[in-house]
Amino acid sequence: MSSDRYPFREIETKWQRIWDERKQFRAVEDPRRPKFYCLEMFPYPSGRIHMGHVRVYAIGDLLARFKRMRGFNVLHPMGWDAFGLPAENAAIEHGVHPAIWTYENIDNMRAQLKKMGISYDWEREITTCDPAYYKWEQLIFIKMLERGLAYRRRSTVNWCPSCQTVLANEQVEGGRCWRCDSEVTLREIDGWFFKITAYADELLAWCDRLPGWPERVITMQRNWIGRSEGAEFDLPVAGRPELKVRVFTTRPDTAFGMTYAVLAPEHPRVDQLVTDEAERRAVADFRAEVARHTEIERLAADRPKHGLRLRAKVVNPFNGAEIPLFIADYVLMGYGTGAIMAVPGEDQRDWEFAKQYGLPIIETVKRPPGWVGEAYGGDGVKINSGFLDGLTVDEAKRKAIDWLVARGLGVAKVNYRLRDWGISRQRYWGAPIPVLYCEKDGMVPEDEKNLPVVLPRDVQLSGKGGSPLAEVASFVNATCPKCGGRARRETDTMDTFVESSWYFLRYCSPKYDKGMFERDAAEYWMPVDQYIGGIEHAVLHLLYARFYTKVLRDLGMVKVDEPFTALLSQGMVIKDGAKMSKSKGNVVDPDDLIRTLGADTARLFSLFAAPPEKDLDWNDHGVEGASRFLNRVWRFVITHGNELRAMAMEMGGATRPPQSPPSTLGAATGPQSPPSALRPTTEAGVAFRRTIHETIAKATQDIERDFHFNTAISAVMELVNALYAFEAASHDGMPAAERAALLREAVETTLLLLGPIAPHLTEELWSQLGHTESLFTRPWPEADPRALVKNEVTLVVQVDGKVRSRLQIAVGTPEERIQRLALADDRVQPWVRERAVERVVVVANRLVNIVTRA
Ligand SMILES: [Zn+2]
Ligand SMILES: [Zn+2]
């Protein structure tokens, strides 16, 4: 089987070397040329690339090479998201330093990626654990601190007991750690935050202005930001009017139905409300119980709610009623004010809680006739609501807010589900937070001229307890940049999502040492025109990167509002019905595949097997099929090489034969020009040329407009079938020159269209045809409109509005002749023979309409 396989190993190594030597994919800013910034999400250097990587990089490379051929100045870089936990865990497990582990992994993965022949500008490679990289985010941290966009506070955080670190809400999935799947618990901890909520409105507004993003990603971002409008107002504590509980509600119109109120168990006001030691103990026990559950569980609709009734009561300001006050697990501190007015008539969770604790339920919206159910969340006329009675829900909302504002009791308020981004990690392998704590001055940012605050190498990693940096005396004990006295360094490191929030900017000028990036370069390249990465980053990374870009814009550093114009979220690679993973034993190693069938086959298969946004189901037959197809292309060109070269020479001497024989892989020489002005004289020639140009039109549209790479590849496969068929047919009467010229046009078109998909094979065959310039410096082929013109069209013939026949006629046939042909047609005759024809209407290239007199 493998005996007739083309020499992919030799070819792939050869062209990777030549591209590298020519620095062919080096990107240089050139304001005269339109730019295209093509970016795949950079990988974490785990040590091995997997098929998911192969897929996403094959997609990115197809687009990068395609856009180059379309005349764009393309930036296509690669780097490493190099900080993070696995390095630290490997250090604990195997005793190897995270830096050594990380850089070794990078070397391995770079070598693997180079074997795939991706057209990266490797001179722009970046590694985020390099102090020359994270220095700049430390600088931005200080600027954010100055502007109140970075701040420190005590908070309840998600804590992964296994990773021993804080997790952002976005990193908790179903109550479990996104990384290690351990159950997440809550903890009180001091930590650093980025004030992403200050940008909530803008992040939301721009969701409507990103047409190049998949709708489902936009929806996930909108939901995550979670904007809701309502009112915030105070409930005075009965008998202690100086104490108030502030609540947020999206339904101020239901205030007359408030039969109790609820505080989040962790609400600080609770401690002021408890009356004695017994109640204090009960509250403490209740809090301990709640802390055993995650926010996700606490919010689950189907879960029984738990509450503790406090002795204190509060007053409903709308009607003066004293109502019970609870702490309950279904109210969270992080949303709104951490306290709610409970309206069981119109809120299902309140309804369930009221039923459970025997609390009254008042309906404040008239139910529609025949309505049976529990809480009613729909529209209707207000009842039992004092001055709001008779209004609609919307009218009542507005009037209730006006009432609160007029009395100074409350305000209209917009709330967001989005919370500030907790960036502190009690881990070693991350960028140090550039802050010190001085005995005299308190918290002081590091002086900019002392940056970077370098992560120390010498550290003990046990995986237990707090930040490992706290144990490194030489790091912790430092000098206060303000007073020169003794100060203690912050030992938390930054969330690695900070590094990935701006790496795309660093690629614009990766070696620049006077700032985060060179302004002109960033202005030229940004925004990223096409970003490609997994749907798992729909919220996490993409929202942070959008936020960080806006912060940099407001610091006057970039001009763009958004970092990514278009986003392609590729599906997963699955095998035997599950995502490829070591634990499932269904992993296909890209290295094995590249070794046995070649990188081009791996790339072709991963682009052909499914549209990019769908999951790709791995199957060995498909891989074999991809390999067979490439062999078929190879065989044709090698078999007909002499003929193709000779003909090209004869047709005007545009192409000289290669100086080295085609069977060897030495560099060929000779200028070239595609036979684009070809005008076939025979019917078969015209038809074949139409196939060639229809393929160009289809492939171009599929790639450029729809990302339907699989159907583009299908079209090229059909062209190759047509090529074999054309070559095998006798074509009596076709001039030899026409035949050869068509063969050459078909072959060159095939190679050009296939180039971005299987770059090594096509580049080699291209050079074997006698071209000295790289295939990837050639323009993408244009469909010749003359070739697309059909000689014949099919006309529908109707008699009195009913289809009776179809006519095949030559394009350009005079109308009068068409009328005659239609009337004489065998299948039309029976319908017109007995009647008088009143008129015959010809709609060009479409139909003939015969109208008879009834
Ligand atoms: Zn974990
Ligand atoms: Zn000081």
Side-chain angles (χ1 to χ4, degrees):
M1 172 127 240
S2 62
S3 60
D4 66 338
R5 268 184 190 140
Y6 73 97
F8 55 83
R9 271 185 216 113
E10 230 177 309
I11 291 171
E12 292 181 357
T13 318
K14 169 189 159 185
W15 285 105
Q16 285 158 19
R17 196 196 66 237
I18 293 174
W19 291 331
D20 196 42
E21 282 167 4
R22 290 179 184 163
K23 298 189 186 304
Q24 186 159 341
F25 306 117
R26 179 194 229 167
V28 180
E29 292 80 59
D30 181 355
R32 291 161 304 172
R33 289 177 62 204
K35 63 93 184 180
F36 189 85
Y37 188 172
C38 181
L39 183 64
E40 300 104 60
M41 290 180 185
F42 67 166
Y44 177 78
S46 57
R48 308 283 304 161
I49 63 167
H50 52 68
M51 287 312 307
H53 290 127
V54 170
R55 187 179 192 198
V56 63
Y57 304 145
I59 292 169
D61 200 39
L62 187 168
L63 290 172
R65 288 179 187 261
F66 172 74
K67 287 289 179 180
R68 279 191 198 97
M69 294 169 82
R70 295 289 267 175
F72 287 89
N73 188 19
V74 171
L75 173 58
H76 190 212
M78 176 45 72
W80 312 99
D81 192 9
F83 273 136
L85 268 180
E88 207 162 329
N89 292 339
I92 293 160
E93 236 173 276
H94 310 297
V96 52
H97 194 279
I100 293 170
W101 187 84
T102 301
Y103 280 102
E104 279 180 357
N105 285 349
I106 288 174
D107 288 343
N108 288 337
M109 288 175 75
R110 187 192 303 106
Q112 283 187 297
L113 283 184
K114 288 198 168 179
K115 278 193 217 158
M116 278 186 66
I118 314 280
S119 66
Y120 293 128
D121 177 357
W122 282 105
E123 289 176 26
R124 291 181 186 250
E125 180 180 350
I126 58 172
T127 305
T128 60
C129 63
D130 182 349
Y133 180 86
Y134 64 70
K135 170 182 180 175
W136 304 112
E137 71 192 43
Q138 291 178 336
L139 180 69
I140 297 304
F141 180 96
I142 292 167
K143 291 187 189 298
M144 288 173 76
L145 187 63
E146 285 165 6
R147 284 160 180 76
L149 290 170
Y151 66 92
R152 188 166 185 262
R153 71 167 158 89
R154 174 157 286 249
S155 68
T156 308
V157 295
N158 303 304
W159 178 261
C160 174
S162 160
C163 298
Q164 288 275 309
T165 192
V166 172
L167 299 172
N169 287 309
E170 293 87 332
Q171 294 165 335
V172 180
E173 292 166 357
R176 294 180 175 274
C177 171
W178 70 297
R179 199 183 288 112
C180 75
D181 213 35
S182 301
E183 201 167 318
V184 173
T185 58
L186 294 179
R187 260 205 186 186
E188 280 263 298
I189 203 163
D190 281 322
W192 287 96
F193 289 82
F194 281 166
K195 202 170 180 179
I196 190 171
T197 53
Y199 287 83
D201 264 328
E202 199 196 328
L203 288 166
L204 187 66
W206 272 90
C207 283
D208 298 331
R209 296 158 74 179
L210 295 169
W213 285 45
E215 193 49 47
R216 67 170 170 159
V217 174
I218 290 290
T219 302
M220 286 165 86
Q221 296 231 337
R222 274 201 198 101
N223 290 345
W224 192 261
I225 297 165
R227 183 181 195 275
S228 54
E229 285 180 21
E232 214 178 270
F233 62 98
D234 291 327
L235 308 178
V237 176
R240 299 170 71 185
E242 77 284 359
L243 266 188
K244 293 179 174 69
V245 171
R246 196 158 182 90
V247 295
F248 170 75
T249 176
T250 57
R251 292 290 305 273
D253 64 291
T254 60
F256 284 89
M258 181 192 328
T259 57
Y260 65 99
V262 186
L263 289 162
E266 55 274 42
H267 199 298
R269 183 59 37 96
V270 175
D271 298 314
Q272 293 166 273
L273 290 169
V274 292
T275 45
D276 61 17
E277 202 40 46
E279 189 171 33
R280 192 177 304 282
R281 264 201 308 278
V283 166
D285 289 349
F286 185 79
R287 283 176 167 168
E289 174 58 33
V290 171
R292 274 196 273 280
H293 300 282
T294 64
E295 286 193 2
I296 314 274
E297 289 171 327
R298 287 171 62 183
L299 289 172
D302 54 351
R303 183 172 170 272
K305 289 145 187 63
H306 302 284
L308 176 72
R309 186 170 179 159
L310 300 178
R311 286 198 202 127
K313 290 185 163 195
V314 287
V315 178
N316 179 352
F318 283 82
N319 57 12
E322 280 189 16
I323 52 170
L325 180 63
F326 286 79
I327 54 175
D329 56 358
Y330 77 102
V331 175
L332 299 178
M333 195 56 224
Y335 180 73
T337 59
I340 61 155
M341 64 170 201
V343 286
E346 278 85 30
D347 182 283
Q348 184 61 26
R349 289 191 305 168
D350 295 347
W351 189 93
E352 286 162 17
F353 191 84
K355 279 286 173 196
Q356 209 171 321
Y357 288 87
L359 298 158
I361 297 172
I362 300 172
E363 298 182 353
T364 74
V365 180
K366 193 168 164 40
R367 272 51 175 168
W371 188 84
V372 279
E374 303 175 341
Y376 174 68
D379 209 350
V381 175
K382 298 302 298 183
I383 51 170
N384 301 326
S385 294
F387 65 90
L388 300 176
D389 278 353
L391 300 177
T392 66
V393 167
D394 277 346
E395 290 165 350
K397 274 185 191 174
R398 272 195 300 278
K399 192 159 180 186
I401 292 173
D402 290 346
W403 187 88
L404 287 165
V405 172
R407 280 156 190 76
L409 297 171
V411 290
K413 180 90 181 182
V414 174
N415 252 305
Y416 294 92
R417 184 175 176 272
L418 182 69
R419 289 175 229 169
D420 281 341
W421 172 14
I423 60 144
S424 275
R425 297 292 178 269
Q426 291 68 45
R427 298 297 304 226
Y428 165 68
W429 193 235
I433 293 172
V435 155
L436 300 98
Y437 303 94
C438 169
E439 285 161 11
K440 203 169 110 247
D441 302 304
M443 191 268 288
V444 188
E446 182 55 276
D447 196 320
E448 290 180 16
K449 68 176 190 295
N450 295 334
L451 298 180
V453 177
V454 176
L455 188 68
R457 266 306 260 269
D458 195 13
V459 66
Q460 290 300 314
L461 299 170
S462 65
K464 304 282 178 298
S467 172
L469 285 179
E471 309 299 317
V472 184
S474 59
F475 178 80
V476 175
N477 301 320
T479 308
C480 172
K482 204 163 170 188
C483 71
R486 280 174 18 167
R488 190 174 51 81
R489 255 188 216 292
E490 171 64 65
T491 56
D492 284 356
T493 53
M494 285 194 240
D495 183 0
T496 59
F497 279 104
V498 180
E499 282 86 59
S500 54
S501 290
W502 66 280
Y503 75 109
F504 42 89
L505 282 157
R506 187 66 181 165
Y507 281 137
C508 296
S509 48
K511 297 182 178 74
Y512 190 60
D513 63 357
K514 291 176 188 64
M516 198 171 209
F517 43 83
E518 204 176 23
R519 184 179 286 260
D520 288 350
E523 259 171 47
Y524 179 71
W525 292 116
M526 287 297 289
V528 174
D529 295 280
Q530 183 65 57
Y531 199 29
I532 307 152
I535 191 77
E536 67 273 20
H537 294 297
V539 177
L540 225 73
H541 156 60
L542 290 170
L543 196 65
Y544 293 153
R546 294 181 59 209
F547 157 67
Y548 207 85
T549 301
K550 291 173 193 298
V551 170
L552 294 178
R553 177 202 61 195
D554 291 347
L555 290 171
M557 296 174 65
V558 293
K559 287 193 170 164
V560 294
D561 293 299
E562 289 282 338
F564 314 121
T565 302
L567 173 72
L568 176 57
S569 286
Q570 89 280 1
M572 286 187 302
V573 179
I574 56 177
K575 187 166 186 279
D576 313 324
K579 184 177 177 178
M580 281 191 186
S581 76
K582 257 189 218 142
S583 60
K584 299 217 173 63
N586 62 350
V587 172
V588 177
D589 183 359
D591 265 2
D592 290 345
L593 180 59
I594 290 169
R595 199 164 41 243
T596 51
L597 292 171
D600 282 341
T601 292
R603 295 165 61 125
L604 173 64
F605 171 74
S606 60
L607 292 165
F608 180 58
E613 69 281 5
K614 294 274 172 9
D615 286 348
L616 185 160
D617 203 348
W618 190 270
N619 78 79
D620 296 331
H621 292 300
V623 178
E624 271 294 333
S627 173
R628 268 199 307 276
F629 170 68
L630 294 181
N631 274 299
R632 201 163 142 74
V633 175
W634 173 266
R635 240 181 2 253
F636 190 93
V637 180
I638 295 304
T639 313
H640 301 92
N642 287 329
E643 187 185 359
L644 291 163
R645 277 185 302 273
M647 255 0 271
M649 204 165 60
E650 208 169 281
M651 291 176 62
T655 305
R656 287 185 280 122
Q659 288 170 347
S660 41
S663 54
T664 72
L665 299 173
T669 54
Q672 70 300 115
S673 77
S676 57
L678 191 57
R679 300 298 301 265
T681 56
T682 62
E683 209 171 296
V686 169
F688 185 51
R689 189 152 193 269
R690 188 186 311 130
T691 303
I692 297 170
H693 285 265
E694 280 173 350
T695 308
I696 294 172
K698 173 155 178 56
T700 308
Q701 177 172 320
D702 286 353
I703 293 173
E704 194 152 62
R705 212 180 60 187
D706 310 318
F707 296 142
H708 286 170
F709 312 133
N710 54 331
T711 54
I713 293 167
S714 290
V716 179
M717 288 174 168
E718 280 168 32
L719 175 60
V720 173
N721 289 341
L723 176 62
Y724 270 93
F726 180 81
E727 198 279 335
S730 55
H731 298 309
D732 292 335
M734 183 181 293
E738 178 173 319
R739 179 178 176 278
L742 282 166
L743 282 178
R744 185 167 171 107
E745 186 176 25
V747 165
E748 295 204 331
T749 300
T750 300
L751 297 181
L752 288 164
L753 297 182
L754 213 49
I757 294 152
H760 309 89
L761 170 100
T762 51
E763 184 81 295
E764 174 61 25
L765 292 177
W766 187 254
S767 92
Q768 297 232 6
L769 289 179
H771 297 288
T772 49
E773 274 177 32
S774 166
L775 173 86
F776 299 101
T777 61
R778 298 308 304 257
W780 184 256
E782 297 275 350
D784 180 352
R786 287 171 315 176
L788 293 175
V789 171
K790 296 200 171 173
N791 304 5
E792 288 197 330
V793 283
T794 305
L795 300 188
V796 170
V797 184
Q798 292 182 344
V799 181
D800 294 328
K802 289 210 169 63
V803 175
R804 296 304 180 191
S805 184
R806 285 183 168 77
L807 280 183
Q808 281 285 120
I809 57 142
V811 170
T813 305
E815 192 169 318
E816 194 193 335
R817 179 164 159 72
I818 294 173
Q819 291 177 350
R820 257 185 288 120
L821 285 169
L823 291 169
D825 186 85
D826 285 347
R827 276 160 298 178
V828 171
Q829 267 293 308
W831 304 98
V832 296
R833 208 178 290 140
E834 311 280 295
R835 307 172 182 214
V837 172
E838 199 168 78
R839 60 198 148 93
V840 181
V841 181
V842 176
V843 180
N845 295 334
R846 285 185 48 208
L847 100 135
V848 183
N849 199 6
I850 300 169
V851 183
T852 66
R853 195 173 301 142

